[in-house]
Amino acid sequence: MTLRLYDESVGKMLIERNYPDSYYVHDGDIQECIIQLIPPYGNGFYHEICFENVHISFGNISLDNQLQLYFESDFDTVEMHFALKGKSMASSENFGKTVQFDSYQHNIIYAHRMQGKMDFYGPDLHLLEINLAPSFFKKFLPEYSGLFETFRNTIEKQQSSLITPDHNRISLEMYEILNDIMHCDRKGVFKRIYLEAKVSELLLLQLEQLFHNESSKSPIVKKDEEKMYAVRDYILNNLSTSCSLNDLAHHAGTNEFTLKKGFKELFGTTVFGFWNDMKMEEAKKMLLDTHMNISEISDIIGYKNPRHFSAAFKRKYNILPSKIGNR
């Protein structure tokens, strides 16, 4: 089984991978490869993690210009595709149409012996793809659903297809799991167990979202969705900053009412509920991974009083931060 990625304009092979015929099956150890990208293919990295039935790949790339690459593979795969930032387009005779992903979108794709071309647009391109062996994926596919039965049939007939023609939005829960996958620092068998669990959890969220199809929610306008994501990104990059709801609304070019309603609808939590959760997540990582004391961590995430931070941490995790690690 072989995957090739090449630049036809200069006749240069960029990536060629040979996988076992049984689809990544080997002795159980994880195989990893990190490629550092340089111009004209952008600045950044592309990271692959491979173990039985699962191939994870993600990249963070800065592009000065549109990048066009050609690909070909001689095997079948089910791909969980997450476009975190940037735009991509892929075309192949197998699909009969161009598949385009924009920022914050995801879908599930079945690909049968594909070949075609891909176009990537920046300036920043962040993506994560998880390829599963079809036989492995079908074990998770629920029965008694028209959508899932149709997709199961396309796999059995080896007809390349999207599970649904319309992409879905990446939810907050999905973002948290994607972040866990990309920043996992476990080793060997423990890393494989951890990633298997995260992939299963992520697939659960994708299938649940497809099944419910957000039918109970009133859809928000796409331009408002983009503003909600702009607020989310601002919060993630400015955890220690103090802002009012009005400040955040102005930052995104909207008003307080639209921000409150749209953020809760899109992410299932309030703006400040999300902000607090992200502060506590960051604090927990620092407590586990650094030797900083409570006061230092409290100051970094924007709490002037360490006691207020400790109280907020206990409300979130039901344990005092002083009890975490060796503190």
Side-chain angles (χ1 to χ4, degrees):
M1 296 167 55
T2 304
L3 170 68
R4 298 184 181 91
L5 191 64
Y6 55 95
D7 184 343
E8 192 173 68
S9 63
V10 296
K12 181 178 179 180
M13 184 73 67
L14 300 180
I15 296 175
E16 182 170 10
R17 296 279 187 270
N18 291 296
Y19 302 108
D21 289 339
S22 52
Y23 199 88
Y24 313 136
V25 174
H26 42 79
D27 62 0
D29 293 333
I30 282 183
Q31 298 176 0
E32 292 195 56
C33 176
I34 301 176
I35 300 173
Q36 295 296 328
L37 299 173
I38 59 174
Y41 305 108
N43 286 294
F45 71 90
Y46 187 71
H47 190 160
E48 294 181 273
I49 305 172
C50 175
F51 51 93
E52 184 177 1
N53 293 314
V54 179
H55 177 261
I56 300 169
S57 55
F58 53 92
N60 189 333
I61 306 161
S62 296
L63 295 174
D64 292 329
N65 302 294
Q66 174 187 345
L67 176 64
Q68 185 176 88
L69 299 174
Y70 288 77
F71 65 92
E72 59 183 54
S73 67
D74 62 359
F75 56 90
D76 287 7
T77 183
V78 176
E79 179 174 295
M80 302 160 60
H81 187 98
F82 296 87
L84 303 172
K85 186 176 288 187
K87 174 181 174 182
S88 66
M89 299 174 66
S91 58
S92 170
E93 291 182 0
N94 305 53
F95 265 87
K97 69 172 185 176
T98 298
V99 178
Q100 175 179 316
F101 280 92
D102 292 316
S103 300
Y104 323 126
Q105 293 182 333
H106 74 91
N107 210 331
I108 300 175
I109 307 164
Y110 167 64
H112 171 67
R113 299 175 180 268
M114 300 284 285
Q115 70 176 60
K117 67 176 182 177
M118 297 184 293
D119 293 278
F120 301 98
Y121 306 85
D124 296 313
L125 182 68
H126 302 174
L127 56 86
L128 185 145
E129 301 165 338
I130 301 173
N131 288 84
L132 306 175
S135 58
F136 177 76
F137 168 78
K138 286 192 291 185
K139 295 178 182 178
F140 295 89
L141 200 58
E143 298 180 354
Y144 314 115
S145 164
L147 174 67
F148 299 145
E149 275 304 306
T150 298
F151 194 59
R152 190 193 310 275
N153 290 336
T154 64
I155 295 174
E156 292 173 353
K157 295 176 181 177
Q158 297 185 321
Q159 297 172 343
S160 299
S161 174
L162 295 165
I163 194 170
T164 176
D166 299 317
H167 302 321
N168 284 270
R169 308 299 280 186
I170 301 174
S171 70
L172 177 58
E173 286 181 289
M174 292 177 188
Y175 270 110
E176 292 173 349
I177 298 172
L178 292 168
N179 187 64
D180 289 340
I181 290 172
M182 290 186 287
H183 295 95
C184 175
D185 57 3
R186 287 176 167 83
K187 305 296 181 184
V189 66
F190 298 109
K191 184 167 189 173
R192 187 188 54 144
I193 293 170
Y194 180 84
L195 291 177
E196 282 178 342
K198 290 297 178 180
V199 168
S200 298
E201 189 177 356
L202 190 58
L203 180 57
L204 164 68
L205 294 178
Q206 278 192 294
L207 295 176
E208 269 189 337
Q209 189 185 70
L210 287 165
F211 185 75
H212 296 297
N213 201 27
E214 301 294 296
S215 58
S216 62
K217 297 180 180 179
S218 57
I220 65 176
V221 180
K222 183 175 181 180
K223 66 177 182 179
D224 287 335
E225 276 192 350
E226 293 172 352
K227 292 172 182 177
M228 301 307 108
Y229 277 100
V231 170
R232 184 194 71 93
D233 291 344
Y234 178 83
I235 290 172
L236 292 176
N237 293 321
N238 298 274
L239 287 180
S240 63
T241 303
S242 296
C243 282
S244 68
L245 198 63
N246 189 50
D247 291 335
L248 290 170
H250 285 169
H251 172 78
T254 186
N255 56 62
E256 287 188 45
F257 176 80
T258 301
L259 176 57
K260 289 171 65 176
K261 181 176 182 295
F263 199 94
K264 180 69 179 292
E265 183 176 310
L266 196 57
F267 297 114
T269 185
T270 65
V271 172
F272 291 109
F274 170 75
W275 203 330
N276 184 68
D277 285 347
M278 293 303 100
K279 283 185 176 186
M280 293 302 107
E281 283 292 323
E282 184 64 20
K284 183 173 70 172
K285 289 178 182 177
M286 288 189 283
L287 286 165
L288 292 170
D289 301 336
T290 74
H291 295 288
M292 288 187 286
N293 60 41
I294 303 297
S295 294
E296 290 172 322
I297 294 173
S298 172
D299 185 62
I300 287 173
I301 64 169
Y303 278 84
K304 295 180 179 180
N305 188 323
R307 286 184 297 176
H308 293 167
F309 160 66
S310 294
F313 192 92
K314 190 174 190 302
R315 283 195 299 271
K316 172 69 175 175
Y317 296 112
N318 201 31
I319 186 174
L320 288 169
S322 58
K323 302 297 183 181
I324 299 292
N326 297 318
R327 290 164 179 78

